[in-house]
Amino acid sequence: EAGVAQSPRYKIIEKRQSVAFWCNPISGHATLYWYQQILGQGPKLLIQFQNNGVVDDSQLPKDRFSAERLKGVDSTLKIQPAKLEDSAVYLCASRKPGTGSTGELFFGEGSRLTVL
Amino acid sequence: QQQVKQSPQSLIVQKGGISIINCAYENTAFDYFPWYQQFPGKGPALLIAIRPDVSEKKEGRFTISFNKSAKQFSLHIMDSQPGDSATYFCAAARIQGAQKLVFGQGTRLTINP
Protein backbone atom coordinates (compact mmCIF):
# COMPACT_ATOMS: atom_id res chain seq x y z
CA GLU A 1 0.00 0.00 0.00
CA ALA A 2 1.46 3.35 -1.03
CA GLY A 3 1.89 5.91 1.71
CA VAL A 4 0.93 9.56 1.86
CA ALA A 5 2.74 11.44 -0.90
CA GLN A 6 3.78 15.08 -0.54
CA SER A 7 5.58 17.52 -2.79
CA PRO A 8 7.77 19.42 -2.97
CA ARG A 9 10.01 18.07 -0.21
CA TYR A 10 11.86 21.36 0.13
CA LYS A 11 11.06 24.92 -0.80
CA ILE A 12 12.93 28.16 -0.17
CA ILE A 13 11.17 31.46 -0.84
CA GLU A 14 11.49 35.13 0.02
CA LYS A 15 9.01 36.67 2.44
CA ARG A 16 5.84 37.95 0.80
CA GLN A 17 6.13 35.34 -1.97
CA SER A 18 3.61 32.54 -2.35
CA VAL A 19 4.01 28.78 -2.14
CA ALA A 20 1.83 25.73 -2.63
CA PHE A 21 2.15 22.23 -1.24
CA TRP A 22 0.45 19.14 -2.60
CA CYS A 23 -0.68 16.00 -0.83
CA ASN A 24 -2.02 12.69 -2.11
CA PRO A 25 -3.39 10.61 0.78
CA ILE A 26 -3.54 6.84 1.02
CA SER A 27 -6.18 5.50 -1.33
CA GLY A 28 -9.58 5.32 0.30
CA HIS A 29 -8.71 7.54 3.25
CA ALA A 30 -11.56 10.02 3.54
CA THR A 31 -10.04 12.16 6.28
CA LEU A 32 -7.08 14.37 5.44
CA TYR A 33 -5.12 16.70 7.70
CA TRP A 34 -2.54 19.42 7.24
CA TYR A 35 -0.21 19.98 10.17
CA GLN A 36 2.45 22.63 10.70
CA GLN A 37 5.57 21.48 12.55
CA ILE A 38 7.90 24.29 13.59
CA LEU A 39 11.43 23.19 14.48
CA GLY A 40 11.53 21.81 18.02
CA GLN A 41 7.76 21.70 18.41
CA GLY A 42 5.01 19.16 17.98
CA PRO A 43 2.73 19.16 14.94
CA LYS A 44 -0.10 21.69 15.08
CA LEU A 45 -3.29 21.04 13.16
CA LEU A 46 -4.03 23.61 10.47
CA ILE A 47 -7.02 22.06 8.75
CA GLN A 48 -8.98 18.80 8.64
CA PHE A 49 -11.01 17.60 5.67
CA GLN A 50 -13.63 14.89 5.56
CA ASN A 51 -13.88 13.99 1.88
CA ASN A 52 -13.95 17.45 0.26
CA GLY A 53 -15.55 19.25 3.20
CA VAL A 54 -13.74 21.19 5.92
CA VAL A 55 -14.24 19.77 9.43
CA ASP A 56 -11.89 22.01 11.41
CA ASP A 57 -9.91 25.04 10.24
CA SER A 58 -9.94 26.92 13.54
CA GLN A 59 -6.13 27.23 13.64
CA LEU A 60 -5.61 28.09 10.00
CA PRO A 61 -4.40 31.70 9.54
CA LYS A 62 -7.00 32.44 6.93
CA ASP A 63 -5.56 35.83 5.97
CA ARG A 64 -2.62 34.05 4.33
CA PHE A 65 -3.27 30.30 4.31
CA SER A 66 -5.78 28.46 2.18
CA ALA A 67 -6.41 24.80 1.49
CA GLU A 68 -8.65 22.82 -0.76
CA ARG A 69 -9.43 19.21 -1.44
CA LEU A 70 -11.13 18.98 -4.77
CA LYS A 71 -12.96 15.72 -5.46
CA GLY A 72 -12.11 14.47 -1.97
CA VAL A 73 -8.72 13.04 -2.89
CA ASP A 74 -5.65 15.26 -3.42
CA SER A 75 -5.23 18.41 -1.41
CA THR A 76 -3.30 21.65 -1.82
CA LEU A 77 -2.15 24.00 0.91
CA LYS A 78 -1.24 27.53 -0.17
CA ILE A 79 0.50 30.35 1.67
CA GLN A 80 0.26 33.86 0.27
CA PRO A 81 2.03 36.05 1.25
CA ALA A 82 4.57 34.08 3.28
CA LYS A 83 6.07 35.42 6.50
CA LEU A 84 9.33 34.48 8.20
CA GLU A 85 7.41 32.66 10.94
CA ASP A 86 5.88 30.32 8.35
CA SER A 87 9.20 28.49 8.12
CA ALA A 88 8.27 24.96 9.15
CA VAL A 89 7.62 21.47 7.91
CA TYR A 90 4.10 21.04 6.54
CA LEU A 91 2.86 17.54 7.18
CA CYS A 92 -0.06 15.92 5.46
CA ALA A 93 -1.77 12.98 7.14
CA SER A 94 -4.73 10.75 6.37
CA ARG A 95 -6.89 8.36 8.32
CA LYS A 96 -8.87 5.26 7.40
CA PRO A 97 -12.61 5.74 7.17
CA GLY A 98 -14.64 4.63 10.14
CA THR A 99 -11.79 4.79 12.65
CA GLY A 100 -12.73 8.11 14.26
CA SER A 101 -10.42 9.84 16.70
CA THR A 102 -8.68 6.62 17.73
CA GLY A 103 -7.68 5.76 14.20
CA GLU A 104 -4.02 5.91 13.31
CA LEU A 105 -2.82 8.98 11.44
CA PHE A 106 -0.60 8.11 8.49
CA PHE A 107 1.80 10.97 7.83
CA GLY A 108 3.71 11.88 4.73
CA GLU A 109 7.37 12.86 4.88
CA GLY A 110 6.49 16.53 4.87
CA SER A 111 7.35 19.64 2.89
CA ARG A 112 10.04 21.77 4.49
CA LEU A 113 9.52 25.50 3.89
CA THR A 114 12.20 28.10 4.51
CA VAL A 115 11.15 31.74 4.27
CA LEU A 116 14.05 34.20 3.92
CA GLN B 1 -7.18 23.48 28.40
CA GLN B 2 -5.98 22.06 25.09
CA GLN B 3 -2.30 21.78 25.99
CA VAL B 4 -0.25 18.64 26.37
CA LYS B 5 3.06 19.26 28.12
CA GLN B 6 5.92 16.86 27.46
CA SER B 7 9.26 16.38 29.23
CA PRO B 8 12.16 16.16 28.92
CA GLN B 9 12.95 18.00 25.68
CA SER B 10 15.93 15.74 25.10
CA LEU B 11 17.13 12.51 26.65
CA ILE B 12 20.31 10.47 26.34
CA VAL B 13 20.24 6.84 27.47
CA GLN B 14 22.81 4.10 27.27
CA LYS B 15 22.06 1.02 25.20
CA GLY B 16 20.13 -1.46 27.26
CA GLY B 17 18.79 1.18 29.63
CA ILE B 18 15.23 2.37 30.24
CA SER B 19 14.02 5.52 28.51
CA ILE B 20 11.18 7.39 30.20
CA ILE B 21 9.24 10.27 28.67
CA ASN B 22 6.47 12.04 30.54
CA CYS B 23 3.37 13.94 29.49
CA ALA B 24 0.73 15.90 31.35
CA TYR B 25 -2.60 17.17 30.09
CA GLU B 26 -5.17 19.65 31.34
CA ASN B 27 -8.39 18.79 29.55
CA THR B 28 -10.15 16.03 31.51
CA ALA B 29 -12.30 15.36 28.45
CA PHE B 30 -9.33 13.79 26.67
CA ASP B 31 -9.84 10.03 26.44
CA TYR B 32 -7.33 8.82 23.89
CA PHE B 33 -3.56 9.07 24.33
CA PRO B 34 -1.24 7.92 21.53
CA TRP B 35 2.52 8.15 21.19
CA TYR B 36 4.09 8.88 17.82
CA GLN B 37 7.70 8.23 16.80
CA GLN B 38 9.46 10.42 14.24
CA PHE B 39 12.79 9.74 12.55
CA PRO B 40 14.70 12.59 10.87
CA GLY B 41 13.23 13.48 7.50
CA LYS B 42 10.17 11.32 8.04
CA GLY B 43 6.65 11.95 9.23
CA PRO B 44 5.50 10.77 12.67
CA ALA B 45 4.29 7.18 12.94
CA LEU B 46 1.99 5.69 15.56
CA LEU B 47 3.92 3.70 18.15
CA ILE B 48 1.40 2.78 20.85
CA ALA B 49 -1.81 4.21 22.31
CA ILE B 50 -3.91 3.94 25.45
CA ARG B 51 -7.41 4.79 26.62
CA PRO B 52 -8.04 5.78 30.26
CA ASP B 53 -9.96 2.62 31.16
CA VAL B 54 -6.59 0.89 31.73
CA SER B 55 -3.55 2.06 33.70
CA GLU B 56 -0.93 0.37 31.55
CA LYS B 57 -0.47 -0.95 28.05
CA LYS B 58 2.54 -2.90 26.84
CA GLU B 59 3.65 -3.69 23.31
CA GLY B 60 7.02 -5.39 23.14
CA ARG B 61 9.62 -3.11 24.72
CA PHE B 62 7.23 -0.13 24.80
CA THR B 63 4.88 0.52 27.71
CA ILE B 64 2.46 3.37 28.38
CA SER B 65 1.63 4.07 32.02
CA PHE B 66 -1.47 6.18 32.65
CA ASN B 67 -2.43 8.05 35.83
CA LYS B 68 -5.91 9.48 35.38
CA SER B 69 -6.08 11.28 38.74
CA ALA B 70 -2.79 13.07 38.10
CA LYS B 71 -3.64 13.66 34.43
CA GLN B 72 -0.29 12.24 33.44
CA PHE B 73 0.95 9.47 31.18
CA SER B 74 4.38 8.24 30.27
CA LEU B 75 6.22 6.13 27.73
CA HIS B 76 8.77 3.60 28.93
CA ILE B 77 11.19 2.00 26.49
CA MET B 78 12.85 -1.05 27.99
CA ASP B 79 16.22 -2.34 26.80
CA SER B 80 16.67 0.80 24.69
CA GLN B 81 18.47 0.29 21.39
CA PRO B 82 20.33 2.71 19.07
CA GLY B 83 17.52 2.17 16.55
CA ASP B 84 15.12 3.75 19.04
CA SER B 85 16.91 7.08 18.60
CA ALA B 86 14.17 9.39 17.33
CA THR B 87 11.82 12.14 18.43
CA TYR B 88 8.81 10.98 20.40
CA PHE B 89 5.54 12.88 20.64
CA CYS B 90 2.73 12.25 23.06
CA ALA B 91 -0.72 13.34 22.03
CA ALA B 92 -4.27 13.49 23.30
CA ALA B 93 -7.75 13.69 21.84
CA ARG B 94 -11.42 13.43 22.69
CA ILE B 95 -12.94 10.44 20.97
CA GLN B 96 -16.45 11.85 20.78
CA GLY B 97 -17.01 14.00 17.75
CA ALA B 98 -13.71 12.95 16.16
CA GLN B 99 -11.87 15.72 17.97
CA LYS B 100 -8.45 16.75 16.76
CA LEU B 101 -5.22 15.27 18.09
CA VAL B 102 -3.20 17.68 20.24
CA PHE B 103 0.54 16.94 20.28
CA GLY B 104 3.15 17.56 22.95
CA GLN B 105 6.35 19.42 22.15
CA GLY B 106 8.40 16.28 21.53
CA THR B 107 11.38 14.54 23.14
CA ARG B 108 14.55 13.89 21.19
CA LEU B 109 15.85 10.53 22.39
CA THR B 110 19.42 9.43 21.74
CA ILE B 111 20.54 5.91 22.62
CA ASN B 112 24.30 5.65 22.95
CA PRO B 113 25.80 2.34 21.85
Side-chain angles (χ1 to χ4, degrees):
Chain A
E1 178 178 69
V4 176
Q6 291 189 245
S7 68
R9 290 294 312 278
Y10 306 93
K11 189 75 176 179
I12 301 174
I13 62 173
E14 301 277 336
K15 61 182 178 183
R16 291 186 291 274
Q17 287 186 325
S18 63
V19 64
F21 302 113
W22 172 84
C23 172
N24 181 235
I26 294 173
S27 177
H29 284 198
T31 310
L32 183 148
Y33 307 80
W34 283 101
Y35 281 85
Q36 180 192 56
Q37 186 176 20
I38 293 172
L39 186 64
Q41 298 183 19
K44 184 184 87 171
L45 180 67
L46 292 176
I47 189 166
Q48 175 184 345
F49 291 95
Q50 181 70 24
N51 296 306
N52 60 351
V54 175
V55 174
D56 185 347
D57 64 355
S58 57
Q59 297 189 99
L60 186 73
K62 298 181 185 64
D63 57 333
R64 299 182 300 105
F65 286 66
S66 65
E68 61 182 10
R69 192 183 184 197
L70 300 176
K71 302 180 182 178
V73 182
D74 294 6
S75 178
T76 303
L77 176 70
K78 296 180 181 177
I79 307 174
Q80 182 180 11
K83 291 185 175 182
L84 296 177
E85 59 261 36
D86 298 332
S87 293
V89 175
Y90 291 86
L91 293 164
C92 179
S94 66
R95 177 178 263 159
K96 285 183 183 178
T99 56
S101 295
T102 61
E104 178 178 357
L105 291 185
F106 293 87
F107 283 88
E109 294 187 330
S111 294
R112 181 180 296 275
L113 173 65
T114 302
V115 182
L116 302 176
Chain B
Q1 274 283 312
Q2 291 295 320
Q3 277 191 319
V4 178
K5 295 183 179 179
Q6 184 172 347
S7 63
Q9 274 190 309
S10 62
L11 180 62
I12 300 174
V13 175
Q14 291 299 117
K15 179 183 175 183
I18 303 173
S19 304
I20 302 174
I21 304 171
N22 300 299
C23 282
Y25 62 98
E26 299 171 351
N27 189 345
T28 54
F30 287 147
D31 52 5
Y32 174 65
F33 304 91
W35 286 86
Y36 278 76
Q37 178 189 55
Q38 185 176 29
F39 292 104
K42 303 294 184 182
L46 180 66
L47 185 64
I48 187 172
I50 197 169
R51 294 177 64 167
D53 50 346
V54 296
S55 60
E56 185 175 283
K57 183 174 181 180
K58 184 176 181 179
E59 290 184 3
R61 296 183 294 108
F62 300 90
T63 300
I64 301 179
S65 297
F66 184 81
N67 186 329
K68 188 174 182 178
S69 60
K71 293 188 287 184
Q72 295 175 348
F73 57 110
S74 59
L75 175 70
H76 295 234
I77 306 175
M78 311 300 287
D79 187 26
S80 299
Q81 298 297 311
D84 297 330
S85 297
T87 299
Y88 292 81
F89 294 96
C90 62
R94 279 184 63 188
I95 296 173
Q96 188 175 13
Q99 297 293 310
K100 66 188 177 189
L101 211 51
V102 178
F103 285 88
Q105 301 93 321
T107 296
R108 178 173 286 187
L109 175 64
T110 302
I111 308 300
N112 284 334

